[in-house]
Structures are given as C-alpha cells and as structure tokens.
Amino acid sequence: MNDLSLTQQYLLCVLNNKGRIPMFGIEKTMCVVASGIVELLLDDILELEEKKLAVKRELPVEKSFLRPVYHYVEKRQPVKFEKVIENFSITFTDKNINELIDCIGESLEKAGCVHKENGGRFSDRSAYIPEEKAVDRIVQNIRAEFLEEGELTEEVVALAALLNKSGELTKYFSAYEKKDLKKRLKEIKDNPQNKEIQRVTDYIDTLLLMLVIAAT
C-alpha cells in the first residue's frame, strides 16, 4: 500500500464490490480526476498559476497511469482546472474517464490490489474488483494519522479531503470517527503545521470550488 499513489488509493476506495464506480456517482468520478491533478501538482509535474494548469516537467514512467490527464494539460496549457475536470467527467460520452480509470485500474492490477474482470454480456468495460486487505490498509493508515495523532502527510490529508468530498468517509468510518476526522481537517486548514500541508489544503480548496463550477 505504501507504494500506491494518491490517485491509486482514492480509486481503490471508491470502487464498489463489482469493481466499478457506482452509477450516479458524478462527484466520485470528478474526484478521480481531481486526485490525479493534485498528485501531479504535489509531485511538481504540473504547476498552478492563477487557477490555470501547465506542465512543469516530463511525466515519469512510474506515473504513466496519469498520462491521460497529463496529455490533456500538455496540449492545452495553460488550461483552467474546470476544463480538465469537464473533459473527463462532464461529456456526452464516457470515453475519456473510462480511459483514465482503465489506466489507473491496470496499475492497481499490477500492484496486486484489484482483480480485473472483463465486461460481461451487456458491457465491454473492464471491472477492477478491490482486494479488501488493500483497501483496509489505506483506511487504517488514514485512521492512524488523523484519529491516533499520527504524523500527517500531504498525501493522506489530500486523500481524506477527497473521500470526504465524494461522500465515501461514511463507508469506512463510524459517525463518531467521521466527525473527528472532519474536525481535524478543519483544524489543519485553519492552523496548518507546515507549508506543505498548507499547499495541499489550498489545492483541495481550489479543486473543490472548480468541481462545483464544473458541475453547474
């Protein structure tokens, strides 16, 4: 699990037991794209200036599962956040988001975190069924950092914020834990412990605003 990136962990947590993102889960889908953008920003592969994205350096081989997002920004830079979100989640077809999910799903299969199944009689889409142990390790890591006063990392702060936005915290945490976790997120935002955590919360705040704009 420690080898999984922010985007890989997020997708693993939102996939259902049939290996797909639930229908009518537009925010979950949008947050898949958002997690990819944040990951590329945190790794200094993309840069953000005046709410527009541009390529900062070449995409590393180990991040190839984010190539659809990277290429879209590369071809249109500087490009607004919302345009990237719209391209993958608010279109007439699911071609773009399916390509991105397949790229991430394939990487998770190679990591041994999902079981891939080909489409059934009524679908040609692949399904990526999560391994329960892999998901549990992610959840326990969030719990350790947020609820057990562990050392906070950029990645876990971003992951928790995205899971909160997409409504997935309830799936893994009790009402009491969720309340504490959201309280801790607010405390981090109001009183950041260091510049790196502040950078994450700033990215997430900007992205969440763009998600609202893109969805309207």
Side-chain angles (χ1 to χ4, degrees):
M1 191 279 297
N2 291 332
D3 294 329
L4 296 183
S5 75
L6 167 63
T7 309
Q8 290 172 317
Q9 291 183 66
Y10 174 78
L11 181 62
L12 197 56
C13 287
V14 298
L15 290 170
N16 61 23
N17 58 11
K18 294 183 179 179
R20 302 183 186 280
I21 295 178
M23 293 181 64
F24 309 111
I26 183 63
E27 286 194 333
K28 295 177 178 60
T29 300
M30 293 170 78
C31 282
V32 171
V33 188
S35 65
I37 295 172
V38 172
E39 180 172 332
L40 293 172
L41 285 168
L42 294 180
D43 289 339
D44 292 321
I45 296 169
L46 297 183
E47 61 184 353
L48 172 67
E49 187 173 349
E50 296 181 357
K51 297 184 179 180
K52 290 185 178 182
L53 295 162
V55 168
K56 190 172 183 180
R57 66 184 178 94
E58 187 175 347
L59 185 71
V61 174
E62 63 271 18
K63 299 287 182 181
S64 60
F65 55 88
L66 291 176
R67 188 166 297 280
V69 175
Y70 179 88
H71 275 176
Y72 184 83
V73 174
E74 184 180 39
K75 291 177 182 178
R76 295 164 178 79
Q77 60 182 325
V79 59
K80 292 181 179 180
F81 261 119
E82 60 265 35
K83 290 298 180 182
V84 184
I85 299 294
E86 288 171 2
N87 177 69
F88 288 95
S89 56
I90 307 176
T91 60
F92 291 112
T93 72
D94 295 329
K95 177 182 176 181
N96 296 336
I97 189 62
N98 287 344
E99 179 188 7
L100 177 59
I101 291 174
D102 281 341
C103 285
I104 304 167
E106 294 284 350
S107 72
L108 287 170
E109 182 188 26
K110 290 179 181 178
C113 297
V114 299
H115 170 66
K116 181 181 177 181
E117 289 189 357
N118 294 324
R121 294 172 57 189
F122 305 105
S123 174
D124 59 356
R125 294 278 302 123
S126 295
Y128 303 93
I129 302 172
E131 294 290 341
E132 291 185 10
K133 289 183 178 179
V135 176
D136 186 62
R137 285 196 295 271
I138 295 171
V139 174
Q140 294 306 325
N141 193 44
I142 296 174
R143 180 175 282 112
E145 289 199 21
F146 275 89
L147 304 179
E148 299 174 14
E149 301 300 324
E151 182 180 353
L152 288 169
T153 59
E154 296 176 305
E155 189 173 86
V156 170
V157 170
L159 179 59
L162 288 165
L163 289 173
N164 180 45
K165 173 61 180 177
S166 60
E168 290 296 290
L169 286 184
T170 304
K171 182 177 175 181
Y172 298 109
F173 298 93
S174 68
Y176 180 80
E177 288 177 325
K178 181 180 175 182
K179 181 179 179 180
D180 279 357
L181 197 151
K182 291 175 74 172
K183 179 181 177 182
R184 188 93 188 274
L185 277 172
K186 186 177 185 305
E187 289 173 352
I188 292 167
K189 179 181 176 181
D190 293 341
N191 297 293
Q193 299 297 310
N194 56 58
K195 292 182 179 180
E196 294 305 311
I197 296 298
Q198 178 69 67
R199 183 167 69 130
V200 174
T201 57
D202 287 346
Y203 284 157
I204 295 295
D205 284 347
T206 301
L207 272 171
L208 296 187
L209 176 60
M210 293 302 104
L211 289 176
V212 172
I213 293 173
T216 56

